[in-house]
Amino acid sequence: MPVTVGLMFVSALLLINCNTPGSDAHQQPPSVSLELLKSIEVNGSIDQIENIMEGIRVVDSLQVAYGIDFRGRRVYKLSVADASVRYLTNRGRGPKEMVLPSQIALKSSREFFVYDTSMDLISKFVDDEIIEKFPGWLRHNIWLRHTYGYYLDGKLITAIEEPEAINAMNFSEARPIVIMDLDDQSVSLHGRLSPTIDKMDTEYKAPILALDESTSALYYVMGADHTIMRHNLITGDTDVASGFKHPKIRERSLEINQNMAPTWDSAKKIGMDVSAHLFIEIFETQNQRVLVSVWQNATEKFYETRDPKYNDYFGVVYDLPGLSNPRLLEIHAKPIGKYNDRLLIIENDDPLEYVIGVYDFVFGVHQTEFQKNTRQK
């Protein structure tokens, strides 16, 4: 039988619009469960992945995942079917090598791009081999953030931290998204920061993106924020897609002083003061289109053991396209991607035996917006 990760029903204290006259149990966000379908055990070997981070990109039709080993500094290919691993690059400055790969973007089942921060070069891979390199982002004074970007219609799209505006604390002018036209490597800045971000310092001012190709929309969440932003790639408009706030979200209260040398105690205070946004992705499953967003709260136990399994992970599931019907999601570990519209979770991050869980969503009795529209048609 499948293993079900139960998610508790939200108490009356966590009702949506609980102060609205006539509110009742039907107005609280229903919960969503996760059901374990399979485990991918990446066992130790001589040529073993040293570090798996969120942001692996899966080609469903081939049952393979592409990612970056940030400790080994190499691009790898992981079989979702049999957990075999093959490195696609070595360290170096040669035509087929990379020094510091940092971000990946899939184009198709045969092609993808990887950015090398140290060399400021973007490598194009075809059939798992580098065929060309071209100038990257730093020459445009662009600071990339997060481990993956997107390819769409001849353009690369990624999250950034715009240095000039952010360092000047000019948050209203900062743009969190950059698009590169691959024909001439020209770039343009897009989007805007969330209206609910803290304005204490320059930290946590970069987003994580999710691309909805069906509507040409980018959804994103800033590093320590709860608001879901939406940028329309056709019109260029940006708006707040959802202001729903999970009850566990922490409000930042501690300013980070860049002039002070960091200590373990200071890192703990800062970490315990913030809800770090980890993951946002679109899923089409069981006749539903949903957006899933996940955060992490660091805990005392994590700082005692330095084991990420003791962090508190939680999320929200929204209906697309309107991001209505938010439902609370609690998960036990860090999500790192999706495969066949199932959620990938890192169960064990020991380099000698990585374990990745493949989970399906189990929705409650509440109809989603997508289900209602489908039945009406």
Side-chain angles (χ1 to χ4, degrees):
M1 294 180 63
V3 180
T4 300
V5 181
L7 303 177
M8 66 179 182
F9 286 97
V10 184
S11 70
L13 293 177
L14 304 181
L15 295 176
I16 294 180
N17 299 324
C18 60
N19 58 348
T20 303
S23 62
D24 56 33
H26 294 291
Q27 291 176 287
Q28 64 179 316
S31 62
V32 178
S33 298
L34 294 174
E35 187 174 72
L36 181 62
L37 301 181
K38 65 176 290 187
S39 294
I40 304 168
E41 298 182 4
V42 186
N43 296 313
S45 66
I46 295 176
D47 202 23
Q48 176 58 36
I49 299 174
E50 297 179 47
N51 178 255
I52 293 178
M53 290 184 66
E54 64 273 13
I56 63 173
R57 314 310 284 166
V58 181
V59 179
D60 294 338
S61 61
L62 300 180
Q63 293 187 294
V64 297
Y66 292 97
I68 298 170
D69 182 339
F70 287 89
R71 190 172 296 140
R73 300 183 180 182
R74 292 192 286 173
V75 179
Y76 65 82
K77 178 180 180 180
L78 166 67
S79 170
V80 182
D82 62 16
S84 60
V85 176
R86 181 165 70 91
Y87 279 108
L88 305 181
T89 60
N90 290 317
R91 300 182 201 173
R93 298 175 179 270
K96 305 294 184 181
E97 299 173 326
M98 306 191 79
V99 178
L100 190 61
S102 59
Q103 188 180 88
I104 189 167
L106 288 185
K107 177 182 178 181
S108 66
S109 61
R110 297 182 57 229
E111 301 179 48
F112 62 93
F113 301 86
V114 178
Y115 177 58
D116 188 327
T117 302
S118 179
M119 299 293 290
D120 190 31
L121 292 173
I122 298 172
S123 294
K124 180 179 180 179
F125 287 72
V126 176
D127 295 332
D128 300 339
E129 183 178 352
I130 296 175
I131 64 165
E132 66 172 307
K133 297 181 180 182
F134 51 89
W137 304 96
L138 286 177
R139 64 199 63 212
H140 298 287
N141 200 26
I142 299 296
W143 295 358
L144 262 62
R145 293 294 181 264
H146 204 51
T147 58
Y148 65 86
Y150 291 96
Y151 171 92
L152 182 67
D153 298 332
K155 298 177 175 63
L156 290 178
I157 306 169
T158 186
I160 64 170
E161 185 174 302
E162 189 182 356
E164 291 185 8
I166 296 296
N167 290 340
M169 305 282 281
N170 188 3
F171 302 127
S172 63
E173 297 298 320
R175 300 291 175 259
I177 300 166
V178 65
I179 298 178
M180 175 185 284
D181 190 323
L182 294 179
D183 286 338
D184 57 9
Q185 283 85 58
S186 61
V187 301
S188 54
L189 304 181
H190 301 265
R192 58 183 171 86
L193 303 193
S194 161
T196 55
I197 61 166
D198 69 86
K199 298 176 175 61
M200 292 184 296
D201 51 36
T202 62
E203 299 298 313
Y204 304 106
K205 301 304 184 290
I208 300 177
L209 311 178
L211 173 63
D212 186 352
E213 291 192 38
S214 67
T215 61
S216 298
L218 277 173
Y219 295 93
Y220 59 96
V221 180
M222 309 305 294
D225 194 30
H226 66 276
T227 299
I228 309 288
M229 300 295 292
R230 174 174 49 212
H231 178 73
N232 189 306
L233 292 169
I234 297 175
T235 66
D237 296 331
T238 302
D239 66 344
V240 172
S242 175
F244 178 81
K245 185 178 181 180
H246 193 290
K248 290 186 176 183
I249 291 288
R250 295 167 173 168
E251 296 284 350
R252 280 191 72 202
S253 62
L254 299 178
E255 181 179 350
I256 298 177
N257 187 344
Q258 298 288 357
N259 296 321
M260 293 184 62
T263 65
W264 183 252
D265 286 340
S266 65
K268 177 181 176 180
K269 289 179 180 178
I270 292 169
M272 295 283 290
D273 183 58
V274 67
S275 292
H277 183 250
L278 297 179
F279 179 85
I280 184 169
E281 189 59 89
I282 293 169
F283 294 83
E284 298 189 25
T285 177
Q286 303 170 49
N287 292 325
Q288 304 178 47
R289 294 192 74 245
V290 296
L291 181 78
V292 176
S293 189
V294 177
W295 293 261
Q296 166 193 292
N297 283 346
T299 64
E300 292 277 358
K301 187 71 171 178
F302 165 73
Y303 284 102
E304 290 174 7
T305 63
R306 306 192 185 188
D307 190 333
K309 73 180 181 182
Y310 292 111
N311 284 323
D312 183 17
Y313 301 92
F314 57 93
V316 180
V317 179
Y318 312 80
D319 284 353
L320 288 170
L323 268 68
S324 59
N325 190 24
R327 286 144 291 169
L328 303 187
L329 169 70
E330 290 195 13
I331 62 178
H332 58 287
K334 180 188 291 187
I336 59 171
K338 73 174 182 179
Y339 164 57
N340 278 338
D341 284 300
R342 270 77 173 189
L343 185 64
L344 298 178
I345 294 177
I346 189 76
E347 309 276 22
N348 181 11
D349 67 350
D350 186 342
L352 295 180
E353 186 175 8
Y354 282 110
V355 179
I356 300 172
V358 182
Y359 285 84
D360 203 357
F361 297 96
V362 180
F363 297 95
V365 297
H366 298 256
Q367 284 186 325
T368 68
E369 181 178 288
F370 185 85
Q371 286 175 312
K372 292 175 183 177
N373 293 339
T374 300
R375 286 170 183 168
Q376 288 173 359
K377 293 177 180 178

